[in-house]
Amino acid sequence: QVQLVESGGGLVQAGDSLALSCAASMRFFNTYAMGWFRQTPGKEREFVAGISRGGGNTDYVDSVKGRFNISRDNAKNTVYLQMNSLKPEDTAVYLCAAGGVVARAPRRYAYWGRGTQVTVST
């Protein structure tokens, strides 16, 4: 049974940083690409960042390039999202997901966590 559990969310001020973690309870974690998505009420789930199985390839939505960094530790079955220079528009529930390849479409990911809330105040 696959389980993804996000942590590290919280309430911060604009300009602050947060580090999210996603711990995966799954076999062969290193055979999955991992992604971070975010969702706000009434909007579609948005791709934020993705990382390949070995960590060599990453992808970011334009709005977070230069501010967010995705990484993974396959020995710990964990993927991270370091978020710097946070903006109020980054406020959302952040979810991690596991899939076959790095992709921006949510349907390309087979497993999902339940998310962690990130709130950025002005």
Side-chain angles (χ1 to χ4, degrees):
Q1 183 176 355
V2 174
Q3 188 174 18
L4 302 176
V5 180
E6 302 92 339
S7 61
L11 171 63
V12 297
Q13 293 186 326
D16 286 351
S17 297
L18 272 179
L20 305 185
S21 298
C22 172
S25 298
M26 65 196 308
R27 297 180 68 186
F28 310 121
F29 174 75
N30 60 357
T31 67
Y32 289 89
M34 300 297 295
W36 282 98
F37 289 76
R38 61 189 179 188
Q39 191 159 24
T40 54
K43 293 188 176 181
E44 292 187 357
R45 195 164 290 186
E46 178 189 30
F47 172 82
V48 176
I51 189 166
S52 60
R53 301 167 184 176
N57 293 319
T58 58
D59 186 27
Y60 299 89
V61 67
D62 285 349
S63 60
V64 309
K65 283 181 180 177
R67 300 189 298 123
F68 290 13
N69 184 71
I70 187 171
S71 62
R72 66 189 294 164
D73 186 338
N74 286 343
K76 295 182 178 180
N77 279 23
T78 302
V79 62
Y80 306 96
L81 186 67
Q82 177 66 42
M83 306 187 295
N84 301 321
S85 302
L86 282 161
K87 304 176 180 180
E89 52 263 43
D90 294 319
T91 295
V93 174
Y94 283 73
L95 308 99
C96 71
V101 295
V102 176
R104 296 191 173 198
R107 67 179 185 276
R108 301 294 297 275
Y109 292 82
Y111 304 105
W112 291 85
R114 300 183 68 175
T116 184
Q117 176 70 47
V118 172
T119 303
V120 184
S121 65
T122 56

PDB file of all heavy atoms in Angstrom, residues 3-10 20-23 35-39 45 92-97 111-118:
ATOM      1  N   GLN A   3       1.643   5.168   0.513  1.00  0.00           N
ATOM      2  CA  GLN A   3       1.194   6.306   1.301  1.00  0.00           C
ATOM      3  C   GLN A   3       2.187   7.441   1.142  1.00  0.00           C
ATOM      4  O   GLN A   3       3.399   7.237   1.281  1.00  0.00           O
ATOM      5  CB  GLN A   3       1.057   5.927   2.782  1.00  0.00           C
ATOM      6  CG  GLN A   3       0.411   6.998   3.631  1.00  0.00           C
ATOM      7  CD  GLN A   3       0.157   6.531   5.060  1.00  0.00           C
ATOM      8  OE1 GLN A   3       0.737   5.564   5.515  1.00  0.00           O
ATOM      9  NE2 GLN A   3      -0.713   7.229   5.763  1.00  0.00           N
ATOM     10  N   LEU A   4       1.685   8.629   0.852  1.00  0.00           N
ATOM     11  CA  LEU A   4       2.494   9.834   0.759  1.00  0.00           C
ATOM     12  C   LEU A   4       1.988  10.808   1.811  1.00  0.00           C
ATOM     13  O   LEU A   4       0.790  11.101   1.848  1.00  0.00           O
ATOM     14  CB  LEU A   4       2.384  10.466  -0.634  1.00  0.00           C
ATOM     15  CG  LEU A   4       2.781   9.593  -1.823  1.00  0.00           C
ATOM     16  CD1 LEU A   4       2.526  10.330  -3.139  1.00  0.00           C
ATOM     17  CD2 LEU A   4       4.236   9.180  -1.741  1.00  0.00           C
ATOM     18  N   VAL A   5       2.891  11.307   2.641  1.00  0.00           N
ATOM     19  CA  VAL A   5       2.496  12.190   3.726  1.00  0.00           C
ATOM     20  C   VAL A   5       3.326  13.467   3.670  1.00  0.00           C
ATOM     21  O   VAL A   5       4.550  13.424   3.848  1.00  0.00           O
ATOM     22  CB  VAL A   5       2.657  11.513   5.094  1.00  0.00           C
ATOM     23  CG1 VAL A   5       2.240  12.483   6.206  1.00  0.00           C
ATOM     24  CG2 VAL A   5       1.833  10.233   5.170  1.00  0.00           C
ATOM     25  N   GLU A   6       2.643  14.578   3.437  1.00  0.00           N
ATOM     26  CA  GLU A   6       3.307  15.874   3.381  1.00  0.00           C
ATOM     27  C   GLU A   6       3.392  16.500   4.766  1.00  0.00           C
ATOM     28  O   GLU A   6       2.530  16.260   5.621  1.00  0.00           O
ATOM     29  CB  GLU A   6       2.550  16.833   2.450  1.00  0.00           C
ATOM     30  CG  GLU A   6       2.379  16.349   1.030  1.00  0.00           C
ATOM     31  CD  GLU A   6       1.082  15.592   0.823  1.00  0.00           C
ATOM     32  OE1 GLU A   6       0.502  15.101   1.813  1.00  0.00           O
ATOM     33  OE2 GLU A   6       0.627  15.494  -0.340  1.00  0.00           O
ATOM     34  N   SER A   7       4.407  17.322   4.953  1.00  0.00           N
ATOM     35  CA  SER A   7       4.555  18.072   6.197  1.00  0.00           C
ATOM     36  C   SER A   7       5.328  19.350   5.920  1.00  0.00           C
ATOM     37  O   SER A   7       5.944  19.490   4.852  1.00  0.00           O
ATOM     38  CB  SER A   7       5.269  17.237   7.259  1.00  0.00           C
ATOM     39  OG  SER A   7       6.579  16.892   6.819  1.00  0.00           O
ATOM     40  N   GLY A   8       5.290  20.271   6.873  1.00  0.00           N
ATOM     41  CA  GLY A   8       6.079  21.486   6.765  1.00  0.00           C
ATOM     42  C   GLY A   8       5.307  22.731   6.411  1.00  0.00           C
ATOM     43  O   GLY A   8       5.884  23.828   6.386  1.00  0.00           O
ATOM     44  N   GLY A   9       4.012  22.600   6.153  1.00  0.00           N
ATOM     45  CA  GLY A   9       3.226  23.774   5.838  1.00  0.00           C
ATOM     46  C   GLY A   9       3.024  24.661   7.050  1.00  0.00           C
ATOM     47  O   GLY A   9       3.380  24.291   8.180  1.00  0.00           O
ATOM     48  N   GLY A  10       2.462  25.832   6.799  1.00  0.00           N
ATOM     49  CA  GLY A  10       2.206  26.735   7.905  1.00  0.00           C
ATOM     50  C   GLY A  10       1.827  28.112   7.427  1.00  0.00           C
ATOM     51  O   GLY A  10       1.592  28.333   6.234  1.00  0.00           O
ATOM     52  N   LEU A  20       8.943  22.137   2.643  1.00  0.00           N
ATOM     53  CA  LEU A  20       7.977  21.043   2.684  1.00  0.00           C
ATOM     54  C   LEU A  20       8.693  19.709   2.486  1.00  0.00           C
ATOM     55  O   LEU A  20       9.694  19.631   1.779  1.00  0.00           O
ATOM     56  CB  LEU A  20       6.923  21.198   1.594  1.00  0.00           C
ATOM     57  CG  LEU A  20       6.142  22.511   1.560  1.00  0.00           C
ATOM     58  CD1 LEU A  20       5.060  22.438   0.483  1.00  0.00           C
ATOM     59  CD2 LEU A  20       5.538  22.834   2.909  1.00  0.00           C
ATOM     60  N   SER A  21       8.156  18.696   3.111  1.00  0.00           N
ATOM     61  CA  SER A  21       8.653  17.334   2.939  1.00  0.00           C
ATOM     62  C   SER A  21       7.499  16.426   2.577  1.00  0.00           C
ATOM     63  O   SER A  21       6.352  16.671   2.970  1.00  0.00           O
ATOM     64  CB  SER A  21       9.309  16.818   4.214  1.00  0.00           C
ATOM     65  OG  SER A  21      10.423  17.593   4.571  1.00  0.00           O
ATOM     66  N   CYS A  22       7.810  15.382   1.854  1.00  0.00           N
ATOM     67  CA  CYS A  22       6.822  14.354   1.530  1.00  0.00           C
ATOM     68  C   CYS A  22       7.492  13.005   1.744  1.00  0.00           C
ATOM     69  O   CYS A  22       8.421  12.643   1.017  1.00  0.00           O
ATOM     70  CB  CYS A  22       6.351  14.493   0.088  1.00  0.00           C
ATOM     71  SG  CYS A  22       5.309  13.143  -0.489  1.00  0.00           S
ATOM     72  N   ALA A  23       7.017  12.298   2.756  1.00  0.00           N
ATOM     73  CA  ALA A  23       7.570  10.986   3.081  1.00  0.00           C
ATOM     74  C   ALA A  23       6.728   9.909   2.414  1.00  0.00           C
ATOM     75  O   ALA A  23       5.502   9.890   2.569  1.00  0.00           O
ATOM     76  CB  ALA A  23       7.585  10.785   4.588  1.00  0.00           C
ATOM     77  N   GLY A  35       6.241  14.704  -7.957  1.00  0.00           N
ATOM     78  CA  GLY A  35       5.802  16.053  -8.269  1.00  0.00           C
ATOM     79  C   GLY A  35       5.173  16.720  -7.068  1.00  0.00           C
ATOM     80  O   GLY A  35       4.668  16.061  -6.160  1.00  0.00           O
ATOM     81  N   TRP A  36       5.251  18.030  -7.088  1.00  0.00           N
ATOM     82  CA  TRP A  36       4.515  18.856  -6.126  1.00  0.00           C
ATOM     83  C   TRP A  36       3.458  19.646  -6.911  1.00  0.00           C
ATOM     84  O   TRP A  36       3.762  20.238  -7.957  1.00  0.00           O
ATOM     85  CB  TRP A  36       5.439  19.826  -5.403  1.00  0.00           C
ATOM     86  CG  TRP A  36       6.261  19.221  -4.317  1.00  0.00           C
ATOM     87  CD1 TRP A  36       7.560  18.806  -4.393  1.00  0.00           C
ATOM     88  CD2 TRP A  36       5.843  18.957  -2.972  1.00  0.00           C
ATOM     89  NE1 TRP A  36       7.978  18.297  -3.188  1.00  0.00           N
ATOM     90  CE2 TRP A  36       6.947  18.389  -2.291  1.00  0.00           C
ATOM     91  CE3 TRP A  36       4.656  19.145  -2.274  1.00  0.00           C
ATOM     92  CZ2 TRP A  36       6.894  18.013  -0.942  1.00  0.00           C
ATOM     93  CZ3 TRP A  36       4.600  18.770  -0.941  1.00  0.00           C
ATOM     94  CH2 TRP A  36       5.707  18.211  -0.285  1.00  0.00           C
ATOM     95  N   PHE A  37       2.248  19.635  -6.389  1.00  0.00           N
ATOM     96  CA  PHE A  37       1.145  20.384  -6.952  1.00  0.00           C
ATOM     97  C   PHE A  37       0.563  21.270  -5.855  1.00  0.00           C
ATOM     98  O   PHE A  37       0.839  21.072  -4.677  1.00  0.00           O
ATOM     99  CB  PHE A  37       0.058  19.437  -7.471  1.00  0.00           C
ATOM    100  CG  PHE A  37       0.448  18.686  -8.712  1.00  0.00           C
ATOM    101  CD1 PHE A  37       1.324  17.605  -8.642  1.00  0.00           C
ATOM    102  CD2 PHE A  37      -0.057  19.041  -9.954  1.00  0.00           C
ATOM    103  CE1 PHE A  37       1.695  16.912  -9.787  1.00  0.00           C
ATOM    104  CE2 PHE A  37       0.307  18.357 -11.106  1.00  0.00           C
ATOM    105  CZ  PHE A  37       1.182  17.291 -11.017  1.00  0.00           C
ATOM    106  N   ARG A  38      -0.259  22.227  -6.260  1.00  0.00           N
ATOM    107  CA  ARG A  38      -0.967  23.032  -5.279  1.00  0.00           C
ATOM    108  C   ARG A  38      -2.388  23.273  -5.758  1.00  0.00           C
ATOM    109  O   ARG A  38      -2.669  23.266  -6.956  1.00  0.00           O
ATOM    110  CB  ARG A  38      -0.248  24.350  -5.012  1.00  0.00           C
ATOM    111  CG  ARG A  38      -0.095  25.277  -6.200  1.00  0.00           C
ATOM    112  CD  ARG A  38       0.835  26.431  -5.824  1.00  0.00           C
ATOM    113  NE  ARG A  38       1.055  27.346  -6.933  1.00  0.00           N
ATOM    114  CZ  ARG A  38       1.933  28.343  -6.917  1.00  0.00           C
ATOM    115  NH1 ARG A  38       2.676  28.561  -5.831  1.00  0.00           N
ATOM    116  NH2 ARG A  38       2.077  29.132  -7.967  1.00  0.00           N
ATOM    117  N   GLN A  39      -3.249  23.475  -4.788  1.00  0.00           N
ATOM    118  CA  GLN A  39      -4.662  23.643  -5.104  1.00  0.00           C
ATOM    119  C   GLN A  39      -5.284  24.657  -4.176  1.00  0.00           C
ATOM    120  O   GLN A  39      -5.035  24.633  -2.955  1.00  0.00           O
ATOM    121  CB  GLN A  39      -5.391  22.304  -5.009  1.00  0.00           C
ATOM    122  CG  GLN A  39      -6.802  22.345  -5.573  1.00  0.00           C
ATOM    123  CD  GLN A  39      -7.307  20.971  -5.933  1.00  0.00           C
ATOM    124  OE1 GLN A  39      -6.868  19.951  -5.411  1.00  0.00           O
ATOM    125  NE2 GLN A  39      -8.246  20.931  -6.861  1.00  0.00           N
ATOM    126  N   ARG A  45      -6.088  21.802  -9.889  1.00  0.00           N
ATOM    127  CA  ARG A  45      -4.805  21.476  -9.296  1.00  0.00           C
ATOM    128  C   ARG A  45      -3.695  21.943 -10.232  1.00  0.00           C
ATOM    129  O   ARG A  45      -3.711  21.639 -11.429  1.00  0.00           O
ATOM    130  CB  ARG A  45      -4.731  19.964  -9.077  1.00  0.00           C
ATOM    131  CG  ARG A  45      -3.641  19.497  -8.170  1.00  0.00           C
ATOM    132  CD  ARG A  45      -3.910  18.076  -7.734  1.00  0.00           C
ATOM    133  NE  ARG A  45      -5.054  18.009  -6.820  1.00  0.00           N
ATOM    134  CZ  ARG A  45      -5.430  16.891  -6.204  1.00  0.00           C
ATOM    135  NH1 ARG A  45      -4.774  15.762  -6.423  1.00  0.00           N
ATOM    136  NH2 ARG A  45      -6.456  16.897  -5.390  1.00  0.00           N
ATOM    137  N   ALA A  92      -1.915  28.015  -0.754  1.00  0.00           N
ATOM    138  CA  ALA A  92      -2.614  26.860  -1.324  1.00  0.00           C
ATOM    139  C   ALA A  92      -2.377  25.651  -0.438  1.00  0.00           C
ATOM    140  O   ALA A  92      -1.546  25.688   0.474  1.00  0.00           O
ATOM    141  CB  ALA A  92      -2.108  26.568  -2.739  1.00  0.00           C
ATOM    142  N   VAL A  93      -3.086  24.588  -0.736  1.00  0.00           N
ATOM    143  CA  VAL A  93      -2.746  23.275  -0.211  1.00  0.00           C
ATOM    144  C   VAL A  93      -1.732  22.661  -1.172  1.00  0.00           C
ATOM    145  O   VAL A  93      -1.983  22.596  -2.377  1.00  0.00           O
ATOM    146  CB  VAL A  93      -3.983  22.377  -0.090  1.00  0.00           C
ATOM    147  CG1 VAL A  93      -3.567  20.961   0.313  1.00  0.00           C
ATOM    148  CG2 VAL A  93      -4.964  22.948   0.927  1.00  0.00           C
ATOM    149  N   TYR A  94      -0.615  22.228  -0.630  1.00  0.00           N
ATOM    150  CA  TYR A  94       0.450  21.640  -1.441  1.00  0.00           C
ATOM    151  C   TYR A  94       0.422  20.123  -1.288  1.00  0.00           C
ATOM    152  O   TYR A  94       0.424  19.611  -0.155  1.00  0.00           O
ATOM    153  CB  TYR A  94       1.804  22.190  -1.029  1.00  0.00           C
ATOM    154  CG  TYR A  94       2.035  23.583  -1.569  1.00  0.00           C
ATOM    155  CD1 TYR A  94       1.355  24.681  -1.038  1.00  0.00           C
ATOM    156  CD2 TYR A  94       2.918  23.811  -2.628  1.00  0.00           C
ATOM    157  CE1 TYR A  94       1.539  25.956  -1.550  1.00  0.00           C
ATOM    158  CE2 TYR A  94       3.116  25.081  -3.140  1.00  0.00           C
ATOM    159  CZ  TYR A  94       2.415  26.151  -2.601  1.00  0.00           C
ATOM    160  OH  TYR A  94       2.596  27.413  -3.106  1.00  0.00           O
ATOM    161  N   LEU A  95       0.387  19.447  -2.433  1.00  0.00           N
ATOM    162  CA  LEU A  95       0.294  17.988  -2.445  1.00  0.00           C
ATOM    163  C   LEU A  95       1.481  17.406  -3.201  1.00  0.00           C
ATOM    164  O   LEU A  95       1.919  17.964  -4.206  1.00  0.00           O
ATOM    165  CB  LEU A  95      -0.987  17.529  -3.133  1.00  0.00           C
ATOM    166  CG  LEU A  95      -2.300  18.146  -2.650  1.00  0.00           C
ATOM    167  CD1 LEU A  95      -2.740  19.281  -3.579  1.00  0.00           C
ATOM    168  CD2 LEU A  95      -3.390  17.081  -2.574  1.00  0.00           C
ATOM    169  N   CYS A  96       1.969  16.289  -2.729  1.00  0.00           N
ATOM    170  CA  CYS A  96       2.987  15.586  -3.498  1.00  0.00           C
ATOM    171  C   CYS A  96       2.346  14.384  -4.187  1.00  0.00           C
ATOM    172  O   CYS A  96       1.297  13.886  -3.758  1.00  0.00           O
ATOM    173  CB  CYS A  96       4.167  15.168  -2.635  1.00  0.00           C
ATOM    174  SG  CYS A  96       3.852  13.846  -1.475  1.00  0.00           S
ATOM    175  N   ALA A  97       2.994  13.953  -5.253  1.00  0.00           N
ATOM    176  CA  ALA A  97       2.450  12.883  -6.067  1.00  0.00           C
ATOM    177  C   ALA A  97       3.581  12.061  -6.657  1.00  0.00           C
ATOM    178  O   ALA A  97       4.683  12.568  -6.885  1.00  0.00           O
ATOM    179  CB  ALA A  97       1.579  13.449  -7.184  1.00  0.00           C
ATOM    180  N   TYR A 111      -0.210   8.207  -7.537  1.00  0.00           N
ATOM    181  CA  TYR A 111      -0.384   8.255  -6.087  1.00  0.00           C
ATOM    182  C   TYR A 111      -0.286   9.696  -5.588  1.00  0.00           C
ATOM    183  O   TYR A 111       0.552  10.465  -6.065  1.00  0.00           O
ATOM    184  CB  TYR A 111       0.671   7.384  -5.398  1.00  0.00           C
ATOM    185  CG  TYR A 111       0.665   5.959  -5.870  1.00  0.00           C
ATOM    186  CD1 TYR A 111       1.662   5.485  -6.719  1.00  0.00           C
ATOM    187  CD2 TYR A 111      -0.354   5.088  -5.489  1.00  0.00           C
ATOM    188  CE1 TYR A 111       1.654   4.178  -7.165  1.00  0.00           C
ATOM    189  CE2 TYR A 111      -0.371   3.776  -5.934  1.00  0.00           C
ATOM    190  CZ  TYR A 111       0.636   3.326  -6.776  1.00  0.00           C
ATOM    191  OH  TYR A 111       0.620   2.037  -7.225  1.00  0.00           O
ATOM    192  N   TRP A 112      -1.113   9.994  -4.588  1.00  0.00           N
ATOM    193  CA  TRP A 112      -1.202  11.354  -4.080  1.00  0.00           C
ATOM    194  C   TRP A 112      -1.223  11.361  -2.560  1.00  0.00           C
ATOM    195  O   TRP A 112      -1.807  10.476  -1.927  1.00  0.00           O
ATOM    196  CB  TRP A 112      -2.490  12.022  -4.582  1.00  0.00           C
ATOM    197  CG  TRP A 112      -2.469  12.294  -6.042  1.00  0.00           C
ATOM    198  CD1 TRP A 112      -2.799  11.431  -7.050  1.00  0.00           C
ATOM    199  CD2 TRP A 112      -2.088  13.521  -6.664  1.00  0.00           C
ATOM    200  NE1 TRP A 112      -2.645  12.057  -8.268  1.00  0.00           N
ATOM    201  CE2 TRP A 112      -2.210  13.342  -8.062  1.00  0.00           C
ATOM    202  CE3 TRP A 112      -1.651  14.756  -6.193  1.00  0.00           C
ATOM    203  CZ2 TRP A 112      -1.914  14.345  -8.977  1.00  0.00           C
ATOM    204  CZ3 TRP A 112      -1.360  15.748  -7.091  1.00  0.00           C
ATOM    205  CH2 TRP A 112      -1.490  15.551  -8.470  1.00  0.00           C
ATOM    206  N   GLY A 113      -0.610  12.405  -1.995  1.00  0.00           N
ATOM    207  CA  GLY A 113      -0.773  12.665  -0.581  1.00  0.00           C
ATOM    208  C   GLY A 113      -2.019  13.495  -0.341  1.00  0.00           C
ATOM    209  O   GLY A 113      -2.715  13.884  -1.298  1.00  0.00           O
ATOM    210  N   ARG A 114      -2.279  13.800   0.916  1.00  0.00           N
ATOM    211  CA  ARG A 114      -3.485  14.554   1.253  1.00  0.00           C
ATOM    212  C   ARG A 114      -3.221  16.053   1.324  1.00  0.00           C
ATOM    213  O   ARG A 114      -4.175  16.833   1.380  1.00  0.00           O
ATOM    214  CB  ARG A 114      -4.047  14.042   2.575  1.00  0.00           C
ATOM    215  CG  ARG A 114      -4.417  12.573   2.507  1.00  0.00           C
ATOM    216  CD  ARG A 114      -5.044  12.075   3.790  1.00  0.00           C
ATOM    217  NE  ARG A 114      -6.361  12.666   4.009  1.00  0.00           N
ATOM    218  CZ  ARG A 114      -7.157  12.329   5.004  1.00  0.00           C
ATOM    219  NH1 ARG A 114      -6.761  11.428   5.880  1.00  0.00           N
ATOM    220  NH2 ARG A 114      -8.330  12.897   5.153  1.00  0.00           N
ATOM    221  N   GLY A 115      -1.962  16.436   1.360  1.00  0.00           N
ATOM    222  CA  GLY A 115      -1.637  17.848   1.271  1.00  0.00           C
ATOM    223  C   GLY A 115      -1.307  18.495   2.603  1.00  0.00           C
ATOM    224  O   GLY A 115      -1.664  17.996   3.666  1.00  0.00           O
ATOM    225  N   THR A 116      -0.629  19.631   2.496  1.00  0.00           N
ATOM    226  CA  THR A 116      -0.312  20.461   3.655  1.00  0.00           C
ATOM    227  C   THR A 116      -0.594  21.915   3.277  1.00  0.00           C
ATOM    228  O   THR A 116      -0.269  22.354   2.170  1.00  0.00           O
ATOM    229  CB  THR A 116       1.154  20.262   4.099  1.00  0.00           C
ATOM    230  OG1 THR A 116       1.407  21.002   5.285  1.00  0.00           O
ATOM    231  CG2 THR A 116       2.153  20.685   3.028  1.00  0.00           C
ATOM    232  N   GLN A 117      -1.210  22.637   4.191  1.00  0.00           N
ATOM    233  CA  GLN A 117      -1.636  24.004   3.914  1.00  0.00           C
ATOM    234  C   GLN A 117      -0.467  24.975   4.055  1.00  0.00           C
ATOM    235  O   GLN A 117       0.247  24.965   5.061  1.00  0.00           O
ATOM    236  CB  GLN A 117      -2.760  24.425   4.857  1.00  0.00           C
ATOM    237  CG  GLN A 117      -3.217  25.864   4.709  1.00  0.00           C
ATOM    238  CD  GLN A 117      -3.967  26.107   3.411  1.00  0.00           C
ATOM    239  OE1 GLN A 117      -4.850  25.340   3.044  1.00  0.00           O
ATOM    240  NE2 GLN A 117      -3.632  27.193   2.710  1.00  0.00           N
ATOM    241  N   VAL A 118      -0.315  25.818   3.042  1.00  0.00           N
ATOM    242  CA  VAL A 118       0.654  26.913   3.088  1.00  0.00           C
ATOM    243  C   VAL A 118      -0.127  28.216   2.945  1.00  0.00           C
ATOM    244  O   VAL A 118      -0.870  28.384   1.971  1.00  0.00           O
ATOM    245  CB  VAL A 118       1.707  26.794   1.976  1.00  0.00           C
ATOM    246  CG1 VAL A 118       2.570  28.039   1.918  1.00  0.00           C
ATOM    247  CG2 VAL A 118       2.565  25.558   2.187  1.00  0.00           C
TER     248      VAL A 118
END
